[in-house]
Amino acid sequence: MRQSQVVRRVGTAAGLGAGTAGALAGVLLLGPLAASVLLVVVFALVWPLAAVVRHVADDAPYGSAVLVAATAAGAVLCLPGMVRLLAWGALGVTAALTFAAVFVLIDFAVPKRHPQQRPSRRQRKLERLTETQLVEDEQLIASLQCPLSIEELCGVWTETATQLAQGAGPRDRQAVAEVRRICLDEFERRNPDGFHRWLDAGAPADPGRYLLPTPGD
């Protein structure tokens, strides 16, 4: 394990321990009823906002809006508790350090689990392709596997390049990629020499210059 990861783990665990001590001191300072009301109010304010951010963002920095709201509520309760611990002097500081040390020991004693990465919004859109849409795409691709002339295939290649440049949705990009793969296979099968000359030239947008016979040939 890298040193930076160890330092991060120790710092996080120690912070949670000290925060827990502050939260308990906050309960003692405010009383159970007032502390409960404070937790509920902060949670109710933060949770909808965190849920909206998680829904809108392509790659949300957190996995659960409930966890964010609970953390915010605990942090708000922790602030007056930390003030109370500091007011206790050495006893309060010792209590906070003790909680921090206990949490660090627990963190190293418990096996570390790797959290599952939440798919991005774009990936979730791709996963939502229905079976009907997939069948429609397959039918479209099958219709393009007819014996088109090489001139028509070059036209299809140019049109799909324009479509990609203008921006296409996830479903369209998937179908266009398969169509272009078919075009590449046909280019290589029908005119291998021209196909390789086209690739050597960097595969420009108009393959007809390399694949179609020039006038006079």
Side-chain angles (χ1 to χ4, degrees):
M1 183 180 297
R2 297 179 180 178
Q3 184 177 2
S4 60
Q5 294 177 337
V6 175
V7 173
R8 189 182 302 113
R9 286 187 63 181
V10 171
T12 302
L16 289 175
T20 301
L24 293 176
V27 173
L28 294 177
L29 175 64
L30 301 176
L33 180 60
S36 300
V37 172
L38 178 63
L39 289 174
V40 171
V41 170
V42 175
F43 184 90
L45 291 175
V46 175
W47 176 51
L49 180 61
V52 170
V53 172
R54 182 175 180 270
H55 177 73
V56 173
D58 285 340
D59 296 311
Y62 49 85
S64 173
V66 174
L67 180 60
V68 172
T71 303
V76 171
L77 179 61
C78 175
L79 291 177
M82 294 301 294
V83 174
R84 182 64 178 270
L85 288 176
L86 293 176
W88 287 349
L91 179 61
V93 174
T94 301
L97 292 177
T98 301
F99 271 84
V102 169
F103 271 64
V104 170
L105 293 176
I106 293 175
D107 180 68
F108 280 100
V110 176
K112 184 179 179 182
R113 294 184 302 175
H114 297 281
Q116 295 182 351
Q117 185 177 5
R118 178 173 176 264
S120 65
R121 193 177 183 185
R122 180 176 299 177
Q123 291 172 334
R124 295 197 302 272
K125 285 183 178 179
L126 291 175
E127 293 173 356
R128 284 198 292 264
L129 288 175
T130 64
E131 292 296 330
T132 302
Q133 290 173 331
L134 291 176
V135 170
E136 292 176 355
D137 290 341
E138 291 175 357
Q139 292 175 350
L140 174 62
I141 293 168
S143 67
L144 291 173
Q145 290 178 335
C146 62
L148 296 175
S149 66
I150 194 166
E151 292 87 351
E152 291 171 326
L153 288 171
C154 291
V156 170
W157 181 270
T158 304
E159 291 176 2
T160 53
T162 303
Q163 185 177 1
L164 290 175
Q166 293 176 349
R171 179 189 173 194
D172 292 336
R173 285 198 300 270
Q174 185 178 6
V176 167
E178 184 64 21
V179 169
R180 290 169 72 84
R181 184 191 65 79
I182 295 172
C183 290
L184 289 174
D185 292 341
E186 290 297 317
F187 291 161
E188 185 177 16
R189 184 179 66 85
R190 300 188 188 190
N191 190 345
D193 295 336
F195 176 73
H196 290 293
R197 287 198 304 270
W198 175 58
L199 292 182
D200 293 339
D206 183 14
R209 295 172 50 192
Y210 304 88
L211 299 172
L212 298 178
T214 57
D217 289 350

